[in-house]
Amino acid sequence: MSDSKLDKYRNTRDFDTTGEPSGKTMDGSDQTLLFVIQKHDATSLHYDFRIEVDGVLKSWAVPKGVSTDPREKRLAMPTEDHPLEYGDFEGVIPKDEYGGGTVLLWDRGTYKNLKEDDDGQPIPMAQCLEGGHATIFLKGEKIEGGYALIRTDTGKNERWLLVKMDDEKADARRNPVSTEPLSVVSGRDLQNIVEDGENDEAD
Ligand code: MN
């Protein structure tokens, strides 16, 4: 850790007594990588699953949302990269625009890349995705634990599966997609967001 750019920042602070962030994630690494799941009420309702990779949000549309049951393999259709700032977006996309509909921040947090080579060195996430298999540890408010992203078809019909790994956070009885529908940032449901959007236009 001595080569960290944050050494000076950390060495001059006692994080047991100051409320300032240490800049370390739960795994002790310096890198805080964002993940976000946006419920998107567009032409058809789906959940956009996005993870930060090399400065953009790699994205998949997951029609049924993320499951906590390892036996549930959720289809994930790749979509275009989004800017990191999209992880803050909640609101209404005008009907005639691309992706027109309501976006709700269903879950958000940090993730860690779990893939290592035989020497225990992390394999870069971009390389994992290129190879069609990634394993990640999510730490959100609704979704936690290990997940695998597995590419099952390539080319024009590229598709992936998003599957809960069988760890201590696996829970076949939980069904957060239906029992925890509200936004993690605003507490709103889809209808609240639509109504707030209409009020904005009236201002
Ligand atoms: Mn979408």
Side-chain angles (χ1 to χ4, degrees):
M1 293 284 168
S2 57
D3 58 349
S4 169
K5 289 174 183 153
L6 292 175
D7 273 353
K8 188 180 177 194
Y9 174 85
R10 292 198 184 108
N11 291 340
T12 49
R13 288 165 174 81
D14 177 358
F15 296 106
D16 291 333
T17 53
T18 177
E20 295 168 294
S22 69
K24 293 194 181 190
T25 52
M26 73 248 172
D27 63 319
S29 74
D30 294 346
Q31 223 176 359
T32 302
L33 294 168
L34 173 72
F35 93 88
V36 61
I37 303 170
Q38 282 157 320
K39 186 175 184 177
H40 187 184
D41 188 13
T43 312
S44 58
L45 181 75
H46 60 272
Y47 292 77
D48 288 301
F49 180 75
R50 312 186 197 279
I51 58 174
E52 177 183 354
V53 180
D54 298 340
V56 298
L57 291 173
K58 288 284 171 191
S59 300
W60 293 260
V62 183
K64 290 184 168 177
V66 180
S67 177
T68 55
D69 182 350
R71 292 168 305 183
E72 289 275 334
K73 294 176 172 60
R74 293 285 160 92
L75 173 66
M77 304 297 289
T79 58
E80 73 277 20
D81 295 349
H82 278 54
L84 288 182
E85 293 79 6
Y86 208 86
D88 291 324
F89 180 72
E90 177 170 275
V92 178
I93 303 169
K95 216 180 348 192
D96 298 334
E97 298 297 320
Y98 181 77
T102 311
V103 176
L104 176 152
L105 275 165
W106 188 79
D107 201 10
R108 194 166 63 172
T110 58
Y111 85 92
K112 181 191 167 192
N113 177 4
L114 295 177
K115 266 279 179 88
E116 295 178 341
D117 65 19
D118 294 340
D119 298 323
Q121 295 301 308
I123 301 173
M125 182 57 67
Q127 193 179 321
C128 296
L129 294 177
E130 190 76 22
H133 194 282
T135 49
I136 54 183
F137 190 95
L138 303 176
K139 194 163 176 59
E141 292 184 35
K142 297 172 184 171
I143 296 296
E144 274 196 86
Y147 280 82
L149 268 166
I150 305 148
R151 190 171 57 211
T152 58
D153 290 284
T154 53
K156 249 186 92 176
N157 299 314
E158 182 179 339
R159 40 175 69 204
W160 295 64
L161 294 174
L162 177 61
V163 189
K164 180 78 196 74
M165 290 161 71
D166 197 1
D167 57 22
E168 71 282 0
K169 297 295 182 186
D171 188 344
R173 290 161 306 178
R174 265 189 84 204
N175 186 6
V177 164
S178 59
T179 61
E180 299 172 54
L182 303 182
S183 164
V184 289
V185 294
S186 67
R188 297 183 295 178
D189 64 14
L190 285 169
Q191 189 56 34
N192 297 147
I193 294 169
V194 170
E195 286 162 5
D196 290 347
E198 284 164 358
N199 290 339
D200 288 346
E201 279 167 30
D203 287 345

